[in-house]
């Protein structure tokens, strides 16, 4: 069965370290997204990609970067981790839906990051 | 102003009750609408899409009111297994992005 996986599921790091969260999907979806979820804010979009070599900034992109070298993977990198980046991170993918709108989002299980 | 606003609850209802959630969105260019369900510490999963004519899936009914820019979800005959957080999601064609509400917490009590 096709799926979307994230790793690591849990990570504790120190302020200033570089951290990369992996996201791998086997749906062959062109659209991939990274969200963070914090209490009181819901899910907020960090970066997204509509295909290989395409990346775009979302609502809360400062301090994060992504790259898309193939269809399956969209790694999220925190260049210099800050305590404000302690959060749960969800990767998602989608295929185009009806009338050109992106369809259902399929989420990974999440990566819980703690920055000390 | 947030793109999508929901009453966070919590809603605590007895088994068998009917409960309704509302959600408002601010961008009139919004094209697609969804309800997602999220269990504690898990990933969100699609519950149902919301169509202009309204749609029903078993005990769940979703309605869209474009004029007033709100979406509703009605759950009839609540089950213990319905306890979760329900997320209202809006897709805006410009930029083709999904916007999430903060979620409404539901607990169904025996």
């Amino acid at each position: 069965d096709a799926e979307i996986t994230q790793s690591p599921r849990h990570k504790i790091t120190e302020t200033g370290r570089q951290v990369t969260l992996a996201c791998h999907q086997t749906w062959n979806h062109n659209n991939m997204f990274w969200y963070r979820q914090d209490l009181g804010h819901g899910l907020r979009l960090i970066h997204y990609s509509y295909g290989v070599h395409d990346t775009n900034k979302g609502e809360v992109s400062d301090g994060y970067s992504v790259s898309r070298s193939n269809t399956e993977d969209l790694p999220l990198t925190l260049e210099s981790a800050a305590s404000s980046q302690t959060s749960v991170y969800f990767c998602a993918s989608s295929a185009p839906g009806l009338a050109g709108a992106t369809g259902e989002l399929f989420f990974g299980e999440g990566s819980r990051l703690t920055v000390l | 102003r947030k793109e999508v606003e929901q009453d966070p609850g919590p809603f605590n209802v007895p088994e068998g009750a009917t409960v309704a959630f509302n959600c408002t969105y601010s961008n009139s260019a919004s094209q697609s609408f969804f309800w997602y369900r999220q269990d504690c510490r898990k990933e969100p999963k699609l519950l149902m899409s919301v169509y202009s004519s309204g749609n029903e899936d078993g005990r769940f009914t979703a309605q869209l009111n474009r004029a007033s820019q709100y979406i509703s979800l009605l759950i009839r005959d609540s089950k213990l297994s319905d306890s979760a957080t329900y997320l209202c999601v809006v897709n805006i064609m410009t930029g083709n992005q999904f916007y999430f509400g903060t979620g409404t917490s539901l607990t169904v009590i025996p």
Side-chain angles (χ1 to χ4, degrees), chain B residues 35-103:
Chain B
W35 284 100
Y36 276 71
R37 171 191 168 128
Q38 185 173 27
D39 294 293
C40 187
R41 303 173 83 87
K42 297 282 186 76
E43 73 274 23
K45 292 184 179 178
L46 180 67
L47 177 66
M48 58 197 304
S49 301
V50 186
Y51 304 118
S52 296
S53 55
N55 48 300
E56 188 173 307
D57 182 4
R59 298 181 293 108
F60 299 85
T61 300
Q63 295 278 351
L64 167 64
N65 185 317
R66 284 191 183 270
S68 301
Q69 294 185 195
Y70 80 79
I71 307 149
S72 64
L73 176 69
L74 183 77
I75 305 175
R76 291 181 299 279
D77 188 23
S78 297
K79 311 290 185 193
L80 296 177
S81 57
D82 294 334
S83 297
T85 296
Y86 291 83
L87 305 172
C88 174
V89 183
V90 171
N91 178 262
I92 299 173
M93 280 300 289
T94 306
N96 207 9
Q97 296 180 23
F98 291 84
Y99 290 90
F100 286 77
T102 53

Side-chain angles (χ1 to χ4, degrees), chain A residues 43-104:
Chain A
L43 282 124
R44 291 182 292 174
L45 184 64
I46 305 171
H47 281 285
Y48 58 103
S49 168
Y50 292 143
V52 177
H53 303 310
D54 175 73
T55 60
N56 306 279
K57 293 182 178 181
E59 179 188 357
V60 290
S61 61
D62 287 349
Y64 304 94
S65 63
V66 293
S67 60
R68 189 87 181 270
S69 58
N70 58 51
T71 301
E72 296 80 18
D73 299 289
L74 187 71
L76 177 72
T77 297
L78 288 69
E79 301 293 343
S80 177
S83 57
S84 60
Q85 294 176 308
T86 293
S87 187
V88 179
Y89 291 85
F90 286 103
C91 180
S93 71
S94 77
L98 294 174
T102 50
E104 177 183 355

